[in-house]
Amino acid sequence: MQTSNISAPIAKRDPKILVTHGDQRIDDYFWLKEREDPEVLAYLNAENAYTEAVMANTKEFRETLYTEMVARFKQDDQSVPYFENGYWYQNRFEEGAEYPFHTRKKGTQDAAEEIILNVPEMAKPHSYFAIGSKSVSFDNRYLAFGEDTVSRRIYTIKLRDLETGEFLADEIPNTTGAAIWAKDNQHFFYTAKDPQTLRGYKIFRHKLGTSAEADIEVFHEADETFDVGVGISKSKKFIVIASQQTITGEYLYLDAATPEEAFTIFAPRVRGLEYDIDHFGDRFYVRTNLDAKNFRLMYCGEDQTTQEHWQELIPHRADVLFENMEFFQDYYVISERKAGITQLWIRTWSGQNEHYIPFEEEAYLAYVGINPESDTELLRIGYQSLTTPNSTFDYNMQTKTFALLKEEPVLGGFNKENYRSERVFVTARDGAQVPMSIVYHRDFVKDGKQPLLLYAYGSYGYSMEPYFSSARLSLLDRGFAYAIAHIRGGEEMGRHWYDTGKLLEKKNTFHDFIDCAEWLIANHYTYSGNLYAMGGSAGGLLMGAVVNFRPDLWKAIVASVPFVDVVTTMLDDTIPLTTFEYDEWGNPNEEEYYHYMKSYSPYDNVEAKDYPAMLVTTGLHDSQVQYWEPAKWVAKLRLLKTDQNPLLLHTNMEAGHGGASGRFARLKETAREWAFVLDLAGKVSSEE
């Protein structure tokens, strides 16, 4: 990697004074927010050119990595089919294709294939293309689906007549992409997005053959801290509207057979009361935190749904987080988390034959898959671990037996026996026990000298699982260990794990990550001269914070679509997600929260000091973390940092938060990230 003879772009400084609660901040790069300004685009393109120039020595190596990762894919692959309402549904890829065909077969898997969406053909005119939710009408005739061609997660709902193959004239822009059919096969409900903030804020009813302008608004969520969506119960009897914020929820419901009637509030919102509902048989089931930090399961009748009518089915447990539920004719399945690992608990309505599904590995990810049919003893589940590729099983809840339907093929000589994984607990500075998952090649030597990449997220209560990645093998096979720190801010250890990693306790997230890094060094997995860190989105905030707190600890940082300008973003309620997230980060219009988030906001805490090498990535059309946050951060770092380490910004000018849309195209982005750390670890020159 060469920087000494290449001039880095220098963003112009145009100071803007920002004053809040009498506190003054000066933002030299506020002007980078102007997305359409030719000067902004020129700067981003100059940064891209600089990144390419600095990484020129890795160009062939990146292609090697990309080819290697693609070669692990079975290109003519297909998903495991699932049965719903008389049809078997499946996605399949053809050789070399970036996008799949969406198909179905009537009655049996031996029936003729019907292509319901030819995504390779649909994607041809677009540099980015994504299909959102798909929904088939009850009579199996009409398909509604969401289409995004910009990568801002703003979907246009389109319809196809599956009998004639014709696409209908009905098109509905600015939605979440999900359409929920009523039983008359003529109406469906959808969520509209606020054009400015992109918040789901209205629910509409659409009738086939009419224009979007004629759609009927059935619900408007006026509270800007709530986000709204629409779905259908497992029983298919009720359409449900969910209006939720970080710590509060409210549901409304409507009989799917009477779509033109009004929705009924299930239980009025109460701040701090969270609940989710489903319906099965003649009851509603309620997952709630009512007097239950880790949630419990309640039930009530169809006509008596308010809180005073809820009766307990599964009580609260202090050491178990109740996460989800799935209902069948004779069984119901509870997804719960204990000591950071998901457990699947099979329960029966009769009280007989209850048990947990046994899994052999110490650390793994198990989850309930697609189970649209209820009159069955078979539970579709997914399973993977750091060393086991994603696998799909049918688990017989009566006989307690597994039928493996598919293990994702990993070509190129992959053998899971060549890799080792560990699950350890790190004592954080305040005594908390932080889980950490580690994987490496069996030849990895714990001599304190080897390269290691430490990854984490740590926000929104999102638990980071010990998942399998075939792309990660390109690191492990070159001597890297890879560790996932399950830090506070997620929910791995229960609801308290989330509560003590947000708002005025957010710094626990950063301290946990640093403490995990120091544990890895103390236990001879690596040393600071060969320790790399990576995180994306809110995990990019983590990267920005730890690189300010402990820049000496890292050889390099990879920050993907990083949320780094916390104070300015959270003060701007026109930006997508801001108002919805006050209960995550705090509302800086309140002085206490303002000063706390300013104390860790990466952009506000850049200093004149040495920083490690850094690769920062973003997308011009990102709807979640606007591109200007990482762009401003890099500009300020380049102005103030006192080292000569590489500082690179790459902006995908055609994509958003999730990066490229094709199954292979996104691997080019991974190849860039892997090449960056492998080059710094001295693993590139040896291969050239």
Side-chain angles (χ1 to χ4, degrees), residues 57 116 178 186 390 400 461 643:
N57 69 303
I116 60 176
Q186 292 297 303
N390 190 36
K400 304 179 184 178
D643 60 88

Side-chain angles (χ1 to χ4, degrees), residues 338 341-343 357-366 382-391 393 402 407 414 416-417 419-423 437-439 466-468:
K338 186 173 183 179
I341 299 296
T342 300
Q343 315 282 341
I357 299 180
F359 299 106
E360 294 181 358
E361 294 183 88
E362 182 181 12
Y364 59 85
L365 164 59
Y383 177 90
Q384 59 183 290
S385 73
L386 291 169
T387 59
T388 302
N390 190 36
S391 305
F393 293 88
F402 292 88
E407 180 177 283
F414 169 74
K416 67 180 71 176
E417 299 304 320
Y419 305 92
R420 304 285 183 266
S421 69
E422 299 178 23
R423 181 82 161 183
S437 303
I438 311 170
V439 63
Y467 66 98
F468 182 82

Side-chain angles (χ1 to χ4, degrees), residues 537-681:
S537 194
L541 162 65
L542 170 69
M543 295 299 101
V546 301
V547 82
N548 279 334
F549 292 161
R550 288 293 308 277
D552 59 301
L553 202 52
W554 325 99
K555 173 72 171 180
I557 294 284
V558 178
S560 304
V561 292
F563 173 42
V564 286
D565 192 12
V566 182
V567 178
T568 306
T569 290
M570 293 305 297
L571 282 167
D572 187 350
D573 60 12
T574 69
I575 294 176
L577 302 185
T578 293
T579 57
F580 183 58
E581 298 190 350
Y582 285 154
D583 287 312
E584 177 73 26
W585 311 105
N587 183 348
N589 294 297
E590 299 176 26
E591 192 166 358
E592 182 180 25
Y593 290 107
Y594 170 84
H595 287 293
Y596 186 78
M597 66 176 63
K598 184 187 174 186
S599 73
Y600 68 75
S601 173
Y603 184 63
D604 291 292
N605 288 282
V606 174
E607 297 176 329
K609 61 186 177 186
D610 286 359
Y611 283 90
M614 299 174 67
L615 171 63
V616 182
T617 67
T618 186
L620 182 63
H621 302 294
D622 197 330
S623 62
Q624 291 181 251
V625 178
Q626 309 299 316
Y627 73 88
W628 59 75
E629 292 199 38
K632 289 167 55 178
W633 184 44
V634 167
K636 189 173 184 179
L637 280 164
R638 189 163 284 138
L639 175 70
L640 294 178
K641 76 188 189 81
T642 55
D643 60 88
Q644 298 301 311
N645 294 321
L647 172 60
L648 307 179
L649 171 67
H650 177 77
T651 303
N652 188 326
M653 305 299 284
E654 297 179 338
H657 200 67
S661 56
R663 61 170 174 163
F664 300 136
R666 66 189 58 181
L667 292 176
K668 289 187 178 293
E669 299 173 354
T670 304
R672 179 185 296 107
E673 295 164 351
W674 278 187
F676 178 75
V677 298
L678 285 164
D679 189 22
L680 290 167

Side-chain angles (χ1 to χ4, degrees), residues 275-294:
Y275 72 91
D276 306 310
I277 68 171
D278 203 351
H279 178 270
F280 191 74
D282 58 359
R283 289 176 174 176
F284 280 105
Y285 293 88
V286 187
R287 172 187 171 270
T288 181
N289 71 342
L290 177 64
D291 300 323
K293 179 179 282 288
N294 280 337

Side-chain angles (χ1 to χ4, degrees), residues 401-413:
T401 55
F402 292 88
L404 176 62
L405 305 178
K406 180 182 181 180
E407 180 177 283
E408 293 292 340
V410 181
L411 308 183

Side-chain angles (χ1 to χ4, degrees), residues 337-343 361-365 384-387 420-426 433-440 446 455 463-467 482-487 491-494 497 519-520 525:
R337 192 178 296 272
K338 186 173 183 179
I341 299 296
T342 300
Q343 315 282 341
E361 294 183 88
E362 182 181 12
Y364 59 85
L365 164 59
Q384 59 183 290
S385 73
L386 291 169
T387 59
R420 304 285 183 266
S421 69
E422 299 178 23
R423 181 82 161 183
V424 300
F425 283 84
V426 175
Q433 295 296 300
V434 182
M436 186 161 55
S437 303
I438 311 170
V439 63
Y440 45 82
K446 297 177 188 176
Y455 181 86
S463 297
M464 183 54 58
E465 309 287 3
Y467 66 98
Y482 185 95
I484 301 171
H486 305 282
I487 55 182
E491 275 188 333
E492 286 91 337
M493 301 296 286
W497 206 242
W519 185 94
L520 289 164
Y525 288 82

